[in-house]
């Protein structure tokens, strides 16, 4: 066989080279075959995975049970490969972040040491809204672009509270409730309280209004007797009040002097009457006008708490009393009760009648003079002549 091969003109070296060449070719073909096999497997796998996913989705849709994806971090990127949504593990638990088109982190939702936490930033990265749990409850805040808080709603250990501030963060309005009571406060930018109102549980309500300097000048209160409005000067002293003096009485008005003394008062009395008083103080009236449902109207001039002049109206007519320094009437002038006409009574320091001038029973003039005790008298009458 060797010779035939030799006679044919093919040397041993050529045979070896030929075999080597064919082995190389075979190796290349085998390598190419392996490569094709690997490509086929990848293609088959890539084709099979969507099929498996489709089958899984179909199975899920058919069964109504979603698959569970577990991971420590989940990112969503936009067309520029920038992260716009991130779900990950934060310091106190789960955390979700959202980025805006300018690349700013605009929303973060997660957990803090007390509970949930939500924060929002504007496109410039400035915190504008926060909502989070605290040890005492919940809290919501809104801020200006420079970080100043403008509104706050929160709950603490005593109850809820709400506050508003201006652009510089200065508090202007606040409302809070605690243990059944509620209060509201309105302040100036300088921090002065201008309006305050509140109500205690089961008790009276109150409202105070202040001037621009923060001095309370008006106060409205309600109590067991009724409502009251009090006005004060800018110095803080009481100037006037309007309200109810007693539960079963009508309205009342009081004016005060600069020193705080009650100088003018007007009130509706419990007997359906009325009274107006002028004086230096409530304890020292000087002029009193009063009337009642069953009483005649009376006007009095007083000094030291004693009536020195009294002018009134009775069922018989008008009546004038003049008193001494002790307040005892010593002159009484008015319509006579026992005759058709007027009467004049002059009295001693103890009030005993000493002289009486009036009209007798027949219509003539009469003057009666009494002794000191007022037991005996002398009468001077007019001489009458029959027609």
């Amino acid at each position: 066989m060797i010779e035939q091969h030799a006679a044919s003109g093919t040397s041993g070296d050529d045979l070896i080279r030929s075999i080597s060449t064919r082995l190389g070719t075979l190796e290349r073909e085998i390598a190419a075959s392996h490569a094709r096999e690997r490509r086929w497997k990848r293609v088959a796998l890539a084709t099979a995975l969507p099929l498996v996913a489709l089958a899984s989705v179909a199975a899920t849709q058919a069964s109504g049970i979603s698959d569970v994806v577990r991971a420590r971090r989940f990112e969503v990127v936009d067309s520029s490969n920038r992260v716009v949504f991130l779900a990950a593990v934060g310091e106190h638990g789960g955390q979700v972040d959202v980025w805006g088109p300018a690349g700013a982190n605009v929303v973060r939702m997660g957990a803090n040491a007390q509970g949930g936490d939500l924060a929002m930033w504007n496109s410039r990265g400035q915190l504008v809204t926060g909502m989070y749990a605290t040890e005492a409850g919940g809290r919501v805040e809104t801020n200006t672009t420079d970080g100043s808080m403008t509104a706050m709603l929160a709950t603490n250990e005593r109850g809820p509270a709400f506050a508003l501030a201006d652009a510089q963060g200065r508090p202007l309005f606040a409302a809070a409730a605690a243990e059944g009571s509620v209060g509201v406060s309105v302040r100036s930018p300088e921090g002065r309280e201008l309006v305050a109102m509140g109500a205690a549980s089961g008790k009276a309500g109150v409202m105070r209004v202040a001037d621009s300097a923060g001095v309370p000048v008006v106060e409205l209160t309600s109590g067991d007797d009724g409502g009251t409005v009090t006005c004060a000067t800018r110095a803080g002293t009481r100037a006037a009040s309007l309200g109810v003096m007693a539960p079963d009485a009508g309205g009342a008005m009081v004016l005060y002097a600069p020193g705080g003394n009650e100088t003018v008062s007007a009130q509706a009395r419990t007997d359906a009457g009325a009274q107006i008083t002028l004086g230096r103080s409530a304890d020292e009236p000087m002029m009193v006008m009063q009337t009642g449902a069953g009483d005649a109207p009376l006007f009095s001039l007083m000094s030291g708490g004693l009536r020195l002049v009294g002018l009134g109206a009775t069922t018989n007519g008008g009546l004038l009393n003049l008193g001494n320094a002790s307040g005892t009437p010593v002159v009484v002038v008015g319509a006579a009760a026992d005759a058709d006409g007027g009467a004049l009574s002059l009295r001693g320091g103890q009030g005993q009648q000493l002289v009486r001038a009036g009209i007798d029973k027949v219509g003539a003039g009469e003057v009666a003079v009494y002794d000191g005790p007022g037991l005996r008298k002398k009468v001077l009458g007019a001489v009458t002549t029959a027609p």
Side-chain angles (χ1 to χ4, degrees):
M1 292 290 297
I2 294 176
E3 291 178 355
Q4 291 176 347
H5 287 291
S8 65
T10 302
S11 66
D13 293 336
D14 292 336
L15 180 60
I16 293 172
R17 284 195 294 272
S18 176
I19 294 173
S20 298
T21 300
R22 282 183 289 170
L23 288 175
T25 301
L26 182 59
E27 289 175 353
R28 287 193 295 274
E29 290 176 353
I30 293 173
S33 175
H34 289 171
R36 286 194 299 273
E37 182 180 2
R38 287 193 298 269
R39 285 197 299 273
W40 177 86
K41 288 181 177 179
R42 287 197 298 270
V43 172
L45 181 60
T47 305
L49 285 176
L51 292 176
V52 172
L54 290 174
S56 175
V57 170
T60 299
Q61 293 175 346
S63 62
I65 301 175
S66 301
D67 290 339
V68 177
V69 178
R70 301 184 66 185
R72 299 186 187 280
R73 184 182 180 93
F74 178 74
E75 296 181 356
V76 176
V77 298
D78 61 9
S79 58
S80 300
N81 206 34
R82 294 179 301 185
V83 176
V84 294
F85 180 88
L86 170 65
V89 179
E91 179 181 358
H92 298 285
Q95 180 174 303
V96 174
D97 287 84
V98 178
W99 283 261
N105 188 183
V106 294
V107 178
R108 173 170 294 169
M109 180 174 62
N112 60 30
Q114 287 77 37
D117 197 308
L118 173 65
M120 295 185 184
W121 294 265
N122 60 17
S123 58
R124 297 186 297 276
Q126 298 159 328
L127 181 65
V128 293
T129 304
M131 180 186 303
Y132 50 92
T134 66
E135 292 182 355
R139 186 181 180 98
V140 179
E141 296 178 0
T142 61
N143 302 329
T144 60
T145 54
D146 63 357
S148 299
M149 185 184 71
T150 57
M152 181 274 293
L153 176 64
T155 300
N156 56 33
E157 62 277 0
R158 299 189 63 187
F162 175 68
L164 296 175
D166 61 11
Q168 287 72 44
R170 296 174 295 191
L172 302 178
F173 177 89
E179 300 173 357
S181 301
V182 63
V184 176
S185 175
V186 179
R187 296 178 177 271
S188 68
E190 295 76 23
R192 302 185 184 97
E193 188 173 64
L194 303 180
V195 179
M197 65 183 78
S201 177
K203 298 182 180 180
V206 62
M207 176 179 179
R208 287 192 297 270
V209 180
D211 62 9
S212 58
V215 178
V217 292
V218 179
E219 181 177 277
L220 293 83
T221 59
S222 63
D224 297 336
D225 295 341
T228 301
V229 179
T230 302
C231 300
T233 67
R234 301 195 68 176
T237 57
R238 188 167 49 178
S241 64
L242 177 66
V244 179
M245 300 296 292
D248 55 350
M253 179 184 71
V254 180
L255 303 180
Y256 300 88
N261 292 333
E262 179 181 314
T263 56
V264 180
S265 68
Q267 67 183 80
R269 304 191 315 190
T270 57
D271 58 358
Q275 179 172 310
I276 299 175
T277 303
L278 288 75
R280 292 191 179 95
S281 68
D283 298 328
E284 192 177 357
M286 302 182 70
M287 182 184 297
V288 178
M289 293 177 285
Q290 64 187 46
T291 184
D295 298 334
L298 177 63
F299 174 76
S300 303
L301 298 179
M302 308 179 71
S303 177
L306 303 175
R307 181 183 291 112
L308 303 184
V309 178
L311 177 63
T314 69
T315 56
N316 298 318
L319 181 66
L320 172 65
N321 285 0
L322 302 178
N324 60 14
S326 300
T328 303
V330 293
V331 178
V332 178
V333 181
D338 55 356
D340 185 14
L344 168 64
S345 176
L346 301 180
R347 304 182 180 188
Q350 303 301 316
Q352 72 277 20
Q353 182 173 250
L354 299 180
V355 179
R356 182 183 184 278
I359 308 299
D360 62 14
K361 294 180 180 181
V362 297
E366 179 184 85
V367 177
V369 180
Y370 299 83
D371 62 1
L375 299 177
R376 293 179 300 174
K377 70 176 181 179
K378 288 184 179 182
V379 178
L380 175 63
V383 177
T384 60
T385 304

mmCIF file of all heavy atoms in Angstrom, residues 324-357:
data_model
loop_
_atom_site.group_PDB
_atom_site.id
_atom_site.type_symbol
_atom_site.label_atom_id
_atom_site.label_comp_id
_atom_site.label_asym_id
_atom_site.label_seq_id
_atom_site.Cartn_x
_atom_site.Cartn_y
_atom_site.Cartn_z
ATOM 1 N N ASN A 324 -81.149 117.961 104.465
ATOM 2 C CA ASN A 324 -80.017 118.614 105.121
ATOM 3 C C ASN A 324 -78.749 117.803 104.877
ATOM 4 O O ASN A 324 -78.737 116.835 104.096
ATOM 5 C CB ASN A 324 -80.290 118.806 106.609
ATOM 6 C CG ASN A 324 -80.524 117.482 107.322
ATOM 7 O OD1 ASN A 324 -80.243 116.406 106.799
ATOM 8 N ND2 ASN A 324 -81.062 117.560 108.537
ATOM 9 N N ALA A 325 -77.656 118.177 105.535
ATOM 10 C CA ALA A 325 -76.384 117.506 105.315
ATOM 11 C C ALA A 325 -76.409 116.040 105.728
ATOM 12 O O ALA A 325 -75.578 115.241 105.296
ATOM 13 C CB ALA A 325 -75.278 118.234 106.068
ATOM 14 N N SER A 326 -77.381 115.666 106.559
ATOM 15 C CA SER A 326 -77.511 114.276 106.987
ATOM 16 C C SER A 326 -78.421 113.470 106.067
ATOM 17 O O SER A 326 -78.650 112.285 106.292
ATOM 18 C CB SER A 326 -78.057 114.217 108.416
ATOM 19 O OG SER A 326 -77.200 114.890 109.322
ATOM 20 N N GLY A 327 -78.994 114.168 105.075
ATOM 21 C CA GLY A 327 -79.877 113.475 104.149
ATOM 22 C C GLY A 327 -81.310 113.436 104.603
ATOM 23 O O GLY A 327 -82.144 112.825 103.933
ATOM 24 N N THR A 328 -81.626 114.079 105.703
ATOM 25 C CA THR A 328 -83.003 114.100 106.200
ATOM 26 C C THR A 328 -83.803 115.166 105.452
ATOM 27 O O THR A 328 -83.359 116.323 105.384
ATOM 28 C CB THR A 328 -83.036 114.401 107.704
ATOM 29 O OG1 THR A 328 -82.259 113.440 108.406
ATOM 30 C CG2 THR A 328 -84.458 114.396 108.229
ATOM 31 N N PRO A 329 -84.961 114.824 104.894
ATOM 32 C CA PRO A 329 -85.765 115.835 104.195
ATOM 33 C C PRO A 329 -86.233 116.914 105.164
ATOM 34 O O PRO A 329 -86.852 116.618 106.194
ATOM 35 C CB PRO A 329 -86.952 115.037 103.656
ATOM 36 C CG PRO A 329 -86.481 113.616 103.611
ATOM 37 C CD PRO A 329 -85.544 113.471 104.767
ATOM 38 N N VAL A 330 -85.959 118.180 104.872
ATOM 39 C CA VAL A 330 -86.387 119.298 105.714
ATOM 40 C C VAL A 330 -87.355 120.203 104.974
ATOM 41 O O VAL A 330 -88.058 121.000 105.604
ATOM 42 C CB VAL A 330 -85.172 120.105 106.219
ATOM 43 C CG1 VAL A 330 -84.340 119.274 107.170
ATOM 44 C CG2 VAL A 330 -84.320 120.609 105.051
ATOM 45 N N VAL A 331 -87.429 120.088 103.672
ATOM 46 C CA VAL A 331 -88.392 120.826 102.856
ATOM 47 C C VAL A 331 -89.031 119.837 101.890
ATOM 48 O O VAL A 331 -88.327 119.157 101.142
ATOM 49 C CB VAL A 331 -87.740 121.979 102.073
ATOM 50 C CG1 VAL A 331 -88.798 122.682 101.201
ATOM 51 C CG2 VAL A 331 -87.087 122.974 103.007
ATOM 52 N N VAL A 332 -90.359 119.793 101.947
ATOM 53 C CA VAL A 332 -91.099 118.911 101.036
ATOM 54 C C VAL A 332 -92.161 119.740 100.351
ATOM 55 O O VAL A 332 -92.991 120.375 101.018
ATOM 56 C CB VAL A 332 -91.733 117.723 101.791
ATOM 57 C CG1 VAL A 332 -92.530 116.854 100.815
ATOM 58 C CG2 VAL A 332 -90.662 116.903 102.497
ATOM 59 N N VAL A 333 -92.132 119.769 99.047
ATOM 60 C CA VAL A 333 -93.087 120.544 98.263
ATOM 61 C C VAL A 333 -93.701 119.619 97.224
ATOM 62 O O VAL A 333 -92.991 118.871 96.536
ATOM 63 C CB VAL A 333 -92.419 121.742 97.571
ATOM 64 C CG1 VAL A 333 -93.455 122.538 96.772
ATOM 65 C CG2 VAL A 333 -91.729 122.633 98.581
ATOM 66 N N GLY A 334 -95.024 119.689 97.114
ATOM 67 C CA GLY A 334 -95.658 118.856 96.110
ATOM 68 C C GLY A 334 -97.143 118.984 96.126
ATOM 69 O O GLY A 334 -97.723 119.857 96.803
ATOM 70 N N ALA A 335 -97.783 118.088 95.370
ATOM 71 C CA ALA A 335 -99.242 118.058 95.337
ATOM 72 C C ALA A 335 -99.740 117.411 96.612
ATOM 73 O O ALA A 335 -99.213 116.393 97.074
ATOM 74 C CB ALA A 335 -99.715 117.275 94.115
ATOM 75 N N ALA A 336 -100.771 118.036 97.221
ATOM 76 C CA ALA A 336 -101.306 117.531 98.481
ATOM 77 C C ALA A 336 -102.038 116.220 98.271
ATOM 78 O O ALA A 336 -102.714 116.028 97.258
ATOM 79 C CB ALA A 336 -102.240 118.562 99.099
ATOM 80 N N ALA A 337 -101.902 115.326 99.258
ATOM 81 C CA ALA A 337 -102.585 114.041 99.181
ATOM 82 C C ALA A 337 -104.010 114.113 99.712
ATOM 83 O O ALA A 337 -104.851 113.285 99.347
ATOM 84 C CB ALA A 337 -101.788 112.992 99.953
ATOM 85 N N ASP A 338 -104.300 115.136 100.561
ATOM 86 C CA ASP A 338 -105.629 115.216 101.199
ATOM 87 C C ASP A 338 -106.437 116.401 100.731
ATOM 88 O O ASP A 338 -107.445 116.755 101.337
ATOM 89 C CB ASP A 338 -105.477 115.274 102.723
ATOM 90 C CG ASP A 338 -104.571 116.410 103.170
ATOM 91 O OD1 ASP A 338 -104.005 117.090 102.275
ATOM 92 O OD2 ASP A 338 -104.399 116.595 104.377
ATOM 93 N N ALA A 339 -105.986 117.074 99.691
ATOM 94 C CA ALA A 339 -106.729 118.237 99.193
ATOM 95 C C ALA A 339 -106.381 118.449 97.730
ATOM 96 O O ALA A 339 -105.396 117.887 97.223
ATOM 97 C CB ALA A 339 -106.415 119.479 100.003
ATOM 98 N N ASP A 340 -107.190 119.273 97.122
ATOM 99 C CA ASP A 340 -106.987 119.559 95.704
ATOM 100 C C ASP A 340 -106.110 120.787 95.575
ATOM 101 O O ASP A 340 -106.602 121.923 95.492
ATOM 102 C CB ASP A 340 -108.329 119.774 95.013
ATOM 103 C CG ASP A 340 -108.146 119.960 93.500
ATOM 104 O OD1 ASP A 340 -107.024 119.646 93.015
ATOM 105 O OD2 ASP A 340 -109.098 120.390 92.847
ATOM 106 N N GLY A 341 -104.796 120.581 95.612
ATOM 107 C CA GLY A 341 -103.870 121.696 95.498
ATOM 108 C C GLY A 341 -102.496 121.313 95.979
ATOM 109 O O GLY A 341 -102.195 120.151 96.240
ATOM 110 N N GLY A 342 -101.654 122.306 96.149
ATOM 111 C CA GLY A 342 -100.292 122.046 96.559
ATOM 112 C C GLY A 342 -100.121 122.107 98.048
ATOM 113 O O GLY A 342 -100.991 122.559 98.789
ATOM 114 N N ALA A 343 -98.916 121.636 98.507
ATOM 115 C CA ALA A 343 -98.615 121.643 99.934
ATOM 116 C C ALA A 343 -97.132 121.872 100.109
ATOM 117 O O ALA A 343 -96.312 121.467 99.289
ATOM 118 C CB ALA A 343 -99.035 120.323 100.569
ATOM 119 N N LEU A 344 -96.805 122.559 101.211
ATOM 120 C CA LEU A 344 -95.413 122.818 101.585
ATOM 121 C C LEU A 344 -95.224 122.371 103.011
ATOM 122 O O LEU A 344 -95.985 122.753 103.896
ATOM 123 C CB LEU A 344 -95.099 124.310 101.451
ATOM 124 C CG LEU A 344 -93.786 124.790 102.065
ATOM 125 C CD1 LEU A 344 -92.598 124.151 101.346
ATOM 126 C CD2 LEU A 344 -93.700 126.314 102.028
ATOM 127 N N SER A 345 -94.161 121.562 103.224
ATOM 128 C CA SER A 345 -93.881 121.077 104.571
ATOM 129 C C SER A 345 -92.456 121.443 104.924
ATOM 130 O O SER A 345 -91.510 121.110 104.186
ATOM 131 C CB SER A 345 -94.066 119.556 104.636
ATOM 132 O OG SER A 345 -93.709 119.054 105.915
ATOM 133 N N LEU A 346 -92.334 122.154 106.072
ATOM 134 C CA LEU A 346 -91.025 122.489 106.614
ATOM 135 C C LEU A 346 -90.803 121.604 107.828
ATOM 136 O O LEU A 346 -91.660 121.549 108.723
ATOM 137 C CB LEU A 346 -90.969 123.969 106.998
ATOM 138 C CG LEU A 346 -91.238 124.965 105.868
ATOM 139 C CD1 LEU A 346 -91.161 126.403 106.398
ATOM 140 C CD2 LEU A 346 -90.271 124.756 104.718
ATOM 141 N N ARG A 347 -89.636 120.968 107.906
ATOM 142 C CA ARG A 347 -89.406 119.972 108.927
ATOM 143 C C ARG A 347 -88.119 120.265 109.693
ATOM 144 O O ARG A 347 -87.216 120.951 109.204
ATOM 145 C CB ARG A 347 -89.327 118.583 108.305
ATOM 146 C CG ARG A 347 -90.568 118.254 107.493
ATOM 147 C CD ARG A 347 -90.534 116.872 106.916
ATOM 148 N NE ARG A 347 -91.749 116.598 106.138
ATOM 149 C CZ ARG A 347 -92.069 115.425 105.649
ATOM 150 N NH1 ARG A 347 -91.259 114.376 105.825
ATOM 151 N NH2 ARG A 347 -93.191 115.271 104.967
ATOM 152 N N GLY A 348 -88.048 119.667 110.891
ATOM 153 C CA GLY A 348 -86.866 119.844 111.718
ATOM 154 C C GLY A 348 -85.750 118.902 111.287
ATOM 155 O O GLY A 348 -85.867 118.098 110.353
ATOM 156 N N GLY A 349 -84.625 119.044 112.032
ATOM 157 C CA GLY A 349 -83.461 118.246 111.684
ATOM 158 C C GLY A 349 -83.672 116.757 111.818
ATOM 159 O O GLY A 349 -82.947 115.958 111.213
ATOM 160 N N GLN A 350 -84.672 116.322 112.598
ATOM 161 C CA GLN A 350 -84.965 114.903 112.763
ATOM 162 C C GLN A 350 -86.068 114.448 111.810
ATOM 163 O O GLN A 350 -86.509 113.319 111.877
ATOM 164 C CB GLN A 350 -85.377 114.621 114.202
ATOM 165 C CG GLN A 350 -84.347 115.031 115.231
ATOM 166 C CD GLN A 350 -83.019 114.316 114.996
ATOM 167 O OE1 GLN A 350 -82.996 113.115 114.738
ATOM 168 N NE2 GLN A 350 -81.938 115.077 115.124
ATOM 169 N N GLY A 351 -86.570 115.379 110.977
ATOM 170 C CA GLY A 351 -87.599 115.023 110.024
ATOM 171 C C GLY A 351 -89.000 115.268 110.488
ATOM 172 O O GLY A 351 -89.959 115.003 109.747
ATOM 173 N N GLN A 352 -89.178 115.870 111.744
ATOM 174 C CA GLN A 352 -90.530 116.124 112.235
ATOM 175 C C GLN A 352 -91.090 117.376 111.569
ATOM 176 O O GLN A 352 -90.388 118.336 111.346
ATOM 177 C CB GLN A 352 -90.534 116.276 113.757
ATOM 178 C CG GLN A 352 -89.928 117.547 114.300
ATOM 179 C CD GLN A 352 -88.404 117.484 114.420
ATOM 180 O OE1 GLN A 352 -87.752 116.662 113.779
ATOM 181 N NE2 GLN A 352 -87.851 118.385 115.250
ATOM 182 N N GLN A 353 -92.382 117.330 111.234
ATOM 183 C CA GLN A 353 -93.022 118.445 110.537
ATOM 184 C C GLN A 353 -93.319 119.566 111.531
ATOM 185 O O GLN A 353 -93.941 119.358 112.554
ATOM 186 C CB GLN A 353 -94.314 117.970 109.879
ATOM 187 C CG GLN A 353 -95.017 119.059 109.077
ATOM 188 C CD GLN A 353 -96.204 118.518 108.284
ATOM 189 O OE1 GLN A 353 -96.152 118.444 107.077
ATOM 190 N NE2 GLN A 353 -97.268 118.136 108.996
ATOM 191 N N LEU A 354 -92.894 120.795 111.203
ATOM 192 C CA LEU A 354 -93.096 121.951 112.076
ATOM 193 C C LEU A 354 -94.037 122.974 111.436
ATOM 194 O O LEU A 354 -94.779 123.652 112.148
ATOM 195 C CB LEU A 354 -91.757 122.605 112.396
ATOM 196 C CG LEU A 354 -90.732 121.712 113.129
ATOM 197 C CD1 LEU A 354 -89.452 122.474 113.384
ATOM 198 C CD2 LEU A 354 -91.322 121.166 114.427
ATOM 199 N N VAL A 355 -93.991 123.093 110.141
ATOM 200 C CA VAL A 355 -94.869 124.035 109.437
ATOM 201 C C VAL A 355 -95.416 123.333 108.213
ATOM 202 O O VAL A 355 -94.676 122.679 107.462
ATOM 203 C CB VAL A 355 -94.130 125.322 109.015
ATOM 204 C CG1 VAL A 355 -95.077 126.260 108.253
ATOM 205 C CG2 VAL A 355 -93.549 126.043 110.220
ATOM 206 N N ARG A 356 -96.737 123.520 108.048
ATOM 207 C CA ARG A 356 -97.350 122.965 106.850
ATOM 208 C C ARG A 356 -98.278 124.022 106.264
ATOM 209 O O ARG A 356 -99.145 124.571 106.949
ATOM 210 C CB ARG A 356 -98.157 121.715 107.159
ATOM 211 C CG ARG A 356 -98.797 121.054 105.925
ATOM 212 C CD ARG A 356 -99.642 119.864 106.309
ATOM 213 N NE ARG A 356 -100.164 119.182 105.149
ATOM 214 C CZ ARG A 356 -101.240 119.519 104.453
ATOM 215 N NH1 ARG A 356 -101.947 120.597 104.851
ATOM 216 N NH2 ARG A 356 -101.646 118.815 103.420
ATOM 217 N N ALA A 357 -98.083 124.280 104.979
ATOM 218 C CA ALA A 357 -98.947 125.227 104.273
ATOM 219 C C ALA A 357 -99.604 124.478 103.133
ATOM 220 O O ALA A 357 -98.939 123.777 102.361
ATOM 221 C CB ALA A 357 -98.140 126.404 103.746
#
